[in-house]
Amino acid sequence: MFVVQLIFTYVGLLAGLVVLWYFCLAGYNRRRGILALRRVEAACSHRARVVDAHWIGASRLQAHLRFAAHWFENAQVTIRLLPRPLPLQWILSSWHKQRETVTFEADLDNAPGVQMEVFRHHWLSDSDRKMIRSSRNWTVARSQPVVLTTSNQWQQELPPIVNTLMTSRGHSLLKVRLRPESPHLAATVDLDALSGEEAAAGFLGVLRELAAGASRSRQ
């Protein structure tokens, strides 16, 4: 009888710790997500305002923005955080090196004439670095950005968009999608890249440049 009571006591303590963990980490995620959304809204200044925001689970915040005319239509921001409230999912996401991101989606005044998706990748190996240092036969040179494309033809509409992505401001974007269907534009950036209002304003500026480049593709 004593053993059974002891087991129930431990189970109760464990359940209490899990519940406490969930609410503490869920609260942390909410504060972090709301802070990021405020930075985005502040960067928009008088050009846009948040009309509604809601949480999807404890790790994703979604908000709709209303911009002034000739900016963006049906704009939506999704902030994806690490699943900290759920220990197992948090461990798996850390193992897979999942990032916390901010994704902006919107329609443009004119639908883009191109359909493209851009993924940014960086390849770096510490073991290769050590091998290069240990050998005198290596000549190391820093290359310019390389574009790998699945398109058979380089369309004339693409240079303005690609040039924007290769600038120092566009360098922080992880993924960009342009297409004729709604939403016309979608761009994802690392949450840590929006460390302040100035960085968030830079993100918004890149979005405007991408929108302008996509509009020129229709002319």
Side-chain angles (χ1 to χ4, degrees):
M1 189 67 178
F2 174 76
V3 175
V4 174
Q5 291 179 347
L6 190 62
I7 292 175
F8 275 108
T9 300
Y10 280 125
V11 171
L13 287 174
L14 181 60
L17 288 175
V18 170
V19 172
L20 181 63
W21 174 286
Y22 180 87
F23 282 103
C24 288
L25 274 297
Y28 174 82
N29 266 9
R30 286 183 177 274
R31 292 190 297 271
R32 185 170 172 79
I34 291 172
L35 177 60
L37 182 59
R38 286 176 178 172
R39 286 173 178 169
V40 172
E41 187 177 24
C44 295
S45 185
H46 301 294
R47 305 181 187 94
R49 62 185 180 87
V50 175
V51 291
D52 71 79
H54 62 278
W55 284 90
I56 303 175
S59 304
R60 187 163 52 156
L61 174 61
Q62 198 168 78
H64 291 87
L65 302 175
R66 180 170 295 166
F67 279 85
H70 306 299
W71 274 72
F72 299 105
E73 297 291 338
N74 304 320
Q76 176 178 280
V77 172
T78 302
I79 301 171
R80 290 181 173 85
L81 304 169
L82 293 177
R84 296 180 179 88
L86 304 174
L88 182 58
Q89 289 188 18
W90 190 11
I91 292 173
L92 290 175
S93 65
S94 299
W95 176 264
H96 293 294
K97 298 181 179 179
Q98 178 182 332
R99 294 181 172 184
E100 294 184 311
T101 60
V102 176
T103 300
F104 179 89
E105 298 174 297
D107 290 330
L108 309 179
D109 287 340
N110 298 311
V114 296
Q115 181 162 337
M116 65 179 295
E117 288 190 56
V118 180
F119 302 90
R120 188 179 301 278
H121 294 279
H122 298 272
W123 290 293
L124 182 64
S125 171
D126 292 334
S127 60
D128 291 344
R129 282 181 171 184
K130 294 177 182 178
M131 184 174 61
I132 290 173
R133 294 195 197 101
S134 62
S135 176
R136 297 181 179 180
N137 298 324
W138 286 91
T139 300
V140 181
R142 184 182 296 275
S143 68
Q144 295 297 317
V146 178
V147 178
L148 304 178
T149 176
T150 58
S151 177
N152 294 326
Q153 295 181 347
W154 187 255
Q155 303 176 26
Q156 63 179 0
E157 300 95 337
L158 297 181
I161 300 172
V162 175
N163 289 338
T164 298
L165 296 174
M166 287 186 174
T167 62
S168 58
R169 293 198 304 169
H171 187 68
S172 62
L173 296 180
L174 300 176
K175 179 181 176 181
V176 174
R177 184 187 69 221
L178 286 165
R179 62 181 185 178
E181 300 83 14
S182 178
H184 301 147
L185 170 64
T188 300
V189 66
D190 198 317
L191 178 61
D192 291 335
L194 303 183
S195 55
E197 293 181 14
E198 184 177 350
F203 175 52
L204 183 64
V206 172
L207 296 177
R208 285 288 294 163
E209 291 175 13
L210 289 173
S215 297
R216 286 198 294 271
S217 70
R218 297 290 294 179
Q219 298 175 357

